[in-house]
Amino acid sequence: TTTTSSCTTTTTNTTIMGATTPLPLFVGNFESAPDLWGLVFMHLTLGLLLTMGVSGVMVMTNRYGKVIRAVIFLVFGSALLAHPALSNLDPVSAFTASFLAFCSWLKMIEWCIGRTPLVIGSTGWWIYMLSVLEPRVNRQTKGLVPVSRSSSLPLFARGLFKFFLMSTMLGLIPDVDLSASTLGITWNGCKITYIRAWGIYLFLSGVFDLYAGLLTAVLGIEFTASFNSPLTHSATLSEFWGTRWNMVIHGLLARAIFQPLRSINVRKQSASLAAFGMSGLFHEYLVASAFGLSHAPGSMAFFFVSQAAIITFFKTFPSLTLGQLGRPYSTIACTLLVLPLGPFFLSPLAAGGLYANMRELIPAFSLANLAARFSA
């Protein structure tokens, strides 16, 4: 990084994809920060791979039937999943690219079994296939829901605020290796686990808000909410995973795994366990492709299978459900129930450098950094 000064401004030259780009110094040091242009390129490449695969299936199915359809799915599905793992990206970019790749893979599955939420070939269907977000559909007209492009402004503001809050909260805890074997039962472990949970929530929901704002500003259509206050309003684990946490993945798993199994008379508990198991495999892939095999394999899969087991327990004994406590006590009880198992989910992300890289993503948003700049 080379710094040059003039009488009017000070800039930092940062190399992005081989090009030297001047950035204002107040933004911070992006020398090891995520390659934003590389991330955009990755998203476009994954979208192109998905489009080519689906288009190939659409053309070949009418001519050669199910065998060619399966071959095309395997080829392009494998390319989607392998692409992030073979690319040299920083932790945040690799994590995001792997997330997009797996979402695209699930979309290919649900398309192949005829469970996409939009009419195949429609404008909304192509928007859905090419973006991670899901356009809102009018159930009566089966069309997209138009909105004013100015409604993108609150989405942008909310996304930026979440990044500010994320950077500030993560600055409160050290970068320590909280081993899953400790189960997060110490006070310091619980504090770190809880703040890390907020960090990943604010990062993912902030990205989705900014992305939804961008698409709304360009297309003038509404998108379904990706998160619904999961850490502050969930009364039970079923509510947390079913209606509040990461509805993008929930919808994909429901259409690609849960609903097909239920349609062939698989028991609800077994179908739910299969969906949670696939979610565990998804997160194992996410960490392995983004950070390598530096974490304990199986820890994330164990976490999600344990969530299915806990939900099944409360379904079996409804008199013990946490929801009967009423808010906010049910939310507190739900948090305390999951917190000891949190390190199985969050520690691999921290070990891979995700949280450290998240702090570098928007360094100027850190409250400590802002205070230091104003006092200087």
Side-chain angles (χ1 to χ4, degrees), residues 351-368:
L354 180 66
Y355 286 101
N357 209 217
M358 282 162 58
R359 280 196 292 266
E360 296 167 356
L361 180 63
I362 312 290
F365 280 178
S366 170
L367 192 60

Side-chain angles (χ1 to χ4, degrees), residues 149-307:
R149 284 179 167 79
S150 61
S151 62
S152 63
L153 297 178
L155 292 171
F156 283 126
R158 191 167 63 195
L160 292 175
F161 174 74
K162 286 178 178 177
F163 275 135
F164 165 79
L165 190 58
M166 174 199 73
S167 184
T168 299
M169 291 187 71
L170 291 180
L172 300 175
I173 59 174
D175 268 332
V176 297
D177 180 17
L178 186 64
S179 172
S181 62
T182 66
L183 297 180
I185 55 177
T186 65
W187 162 246
N188 191 51
C190 287
K191 180 184 71 172
I192 292 174
T193 299
Y194 188 64
I195 293 179
R196 282 177 176 174
W198 270 97
I200 197 67
Y201 158 68
L202 291 169
F203 171 69
L204 289 175
S205 59
V207 168
F208 284 140
D209 284 342
L210 292 175
Y211 193 31
L214 176 63
L215 292 180
T216 300
V218 173
L219 302 174
I221 59 176
E222 186 177 359
F223 291 85
T224 57
S226 302
F227 287 84
N228 185 21
S229 305
L231 297 177
T232 56
H233 287 72
S234 297
T236 64
L237 272 185
S238 296
E239 181 182 351
F240 179 89
W241 293 113
T243 62
R244 295 190 180 277
W245 180 268
N246 202 342
M247 299 313 296
V248 171
I249 290 296
H250 172 78
L252 288 169
L253 290 174
R255 291 186 295 269
I257 307 296
F258 181 81
Q259 293 172 2
L261 291 176
R262 291 290 290 151
S263 67
I264 57 175
N265 298 322
V266 174
R267 293 179 57 196
K268 187 175 182 180
Q269 290 84 350
S270 300
S272 178
L273 179 61
F276 271 102
M278 178 58 76
S279 181
L281 292 177
F282 157 59
H283 286 85
E284 290 288 336
Y285 158 77
L286 202 68
V287 173
S289 61
F291 314 134
L293 297 176
S294 58
H295 73 297
S299 62
M300 284 196 159
F302 171 79
F303 173 80
F304 282 97
V305 172
S306 71
Q307 300 303 289

